[in-house]
Amino acid sequence: MIVRGIICEPGKPPMEAEVDTTRLGTVMGDNRLLLRPFKDRNVGVVVSENYADDSTGLEFNRSVGGLFKSVTIYGIMFVASLDVDGSLLPLNDQQIKLYMKQLSR
């Protein structure tokens, strides 16, 4: 399935992208986790299982989340919308604009 979302790589600005979800393992490794660090629980972040461990050699990416709770991410991350069971869905235009702005800070 092709999903429109935002890719964030360490040291680079966020980038809107269409990603084949069956190929996320090629980019991020086979062991991935889905986090919900944003106030909007219908938006998630796909990360490597080692996203919080800088000793694995992954580079610091950025901290994401809300005002009172943020998560530090190491390595590549992909932001997408979620359905009720946690499956990835495309971000809409409004979400792209909002999260591009948040992730650019």
Side-chain angles (χ1 to χ4, degrees), residues 28-88:
M28 306 177 86
D30 290 327
N31 298 318
R32 297 173 306 280
L33 299 173
L34 177 63
L35 307 176
R36 295 178 190 233
F38 300 110
K39 184 177 179 180
D40 182 350
R41 306 297 284 167
N42 295 316
V43 174
V45 179
V46 180
V47 295
S48 161
E49 71 175 342
N50 299 317
Y51 76 93
D53 187 0
D54 64 344
S55 69
T56 62
L58 296 175
E59 290 182 64
F60 171 75
N61 192 330
R62 63 199 73 207
S63 293
V64 297
L67 181 60
F68 298 107
K69 177 186 171 192
S70 66
V71 178
T72 300
I73 306 290
Y74 290 86
I76 298 171
M77 63 186 231
F78 179 66
V79 180
S81 187
L82 304 170
D83 68 9
V84 292
D85 69 354
S87 296
L88 299 179

